[in-house]
Amino acid sequence: MAQWSYFLPDLLPHVTGAAEPTIARALRLAAQDFFKRTRAWRPWLPEIATVAGQRTYTLTLPAGAVVERLERATLNGSPIDILNFNCFEADPELHAGLDAGVASRDRVNVLTATDYGAGSKLQFQASLKPGDTATGIADDMALQFRDALVAGAKKRLLLNPRADYFSPELASIAAGEYEAAIGATQAQVFRNFTNSTPRQRPQWC
């Protein structure tokens, strides 16, 4: 996990005198916005072993991260559907169905549409972003998107009219760099980081 201090060497020359908590907050807000809009932080979460008679399970997330969206789900390595609670004809928490699939109201706990018995393996790919208490992000995300997150933090910090480093002009430049990075990353994510066209995610209801 890369702490917010990882970005300080790139930021401090532009915001001399800024307190580290202020910089950390700007970085967190920039990272939250960046990963919400790009969905570029997309790991496979640890497998969950199913238990007979149990249909609700809790996702295991990296420290400080929250789920922006569940992207894919598998059961024993085979794809299963991610369902919308609004699609069920009866309360799915009270009435198990026959179809294979999972649903989540809060993106923390997941409910299987049916009882998968004991010993099966559920796994989820999720788009993540830092939560409000996050102290950093995954090392690979910090390395890959360092320039974008620095630009996003600069955009915020340089617009503080009470700071000695206040500069709307430089903030505008940083904002342009940040938005360009978001656009490029969105396109890259759409291609699934390859040159192939991704399968369209099915729409339910």
Side-chain angles (χ1 to χ4, degrees):
M1 179 71 70
Q3 303 296 307
W4 300 130
S5 57
Y6 168 80
F7 302 92
L8 288 181
D10 295 308
L11 275 170
L12 284 176
H14 305 281
V15 292
T16 303
E20 287 195 19
T22 301
I23 295 176
R25 181 177 184 275
L27 283 163
R28 175 176 57 78
L29 291 173
Q32 287 175 326
D33 179 68
F34 181 85
F35 290 112
K36 178 177 181 177
R37 293 170 62 186
T38 65
R39 305 209 315 271
W41 186 4
R42 193 180 292 196
W44 282 96
L45 303 178
E47 285 185 330
I48 299 171
T50 60
V51 177
Q54 178 177 330
R55 294 174 51 224
T56 300
Y57 301 91
T58 300
L59 299 172
T60 299
L61 302 174
V66 297
V67 174
E68 177 62 26
R69 170 176 160 140
L70 292 176
E71 301 288 351
R72 295 183 177 91
T74 63
L75 179 68
N76 298 324
S78 297
I80 57 175
D81 295 331
I82 297 176
L83 307 171
N84 189 315
F85 266 93
N86 296 326
C87 294
F88 293 98
E89 295 183 0
D91 186 343
E93 295 178 343
L94 299 177
H95 306 283
L98 299 176
D99 297 331
V102 291
S104 177
R105 293 187 192 275
D106 57 10
R107 292 173 288 183
V108 174
N109 301 290
V110 294
L111 176 72
T112 61
T114 190
D115 184 350
Y116 291 131
S120 292
K121 301 293 185 181
L122 281 171
Q123 193 172 23
F124 298 87
Q125 186 187 48
S127 291
L128 306 180
K129 67 180 181 181
D132 290 340
T133 61
T135 58
I137 56 175
D139 289 334
D140 58 332
M141 295 293 99
L143 180 63
Q144 185 172 356
F145 300 112
R146 181 172 184 163
D147 290 344
L149 298 181
V150 167
K154 280 169 59 178
K155 176 190 72 169
R156 296 174 182 274
L157 292 166
L158 293 170
L159 286 177
N160 181 0
R162 294 173 292 180
D164 293 338
Y165 47 79
F166 173 62
S167 176
E169 295 81 7
L170 293 179
S172 178
I173 294 172
E177 295 172 347
Y178 176 67
E179 292 298 329
I182 284 179
T185 304
Q186 287 172 332
Q188 188 179 30
V189 169
F190 180 77
R191 295 192 300 270
N192 284 343
F193 298 96
T194 71
N195 291 323
S196 62
T197 302
R199 293 186 306 168
Q200 184 174 355
R201 181 186 173 96
Q203 300 295 316
W204 303 101
C205 296

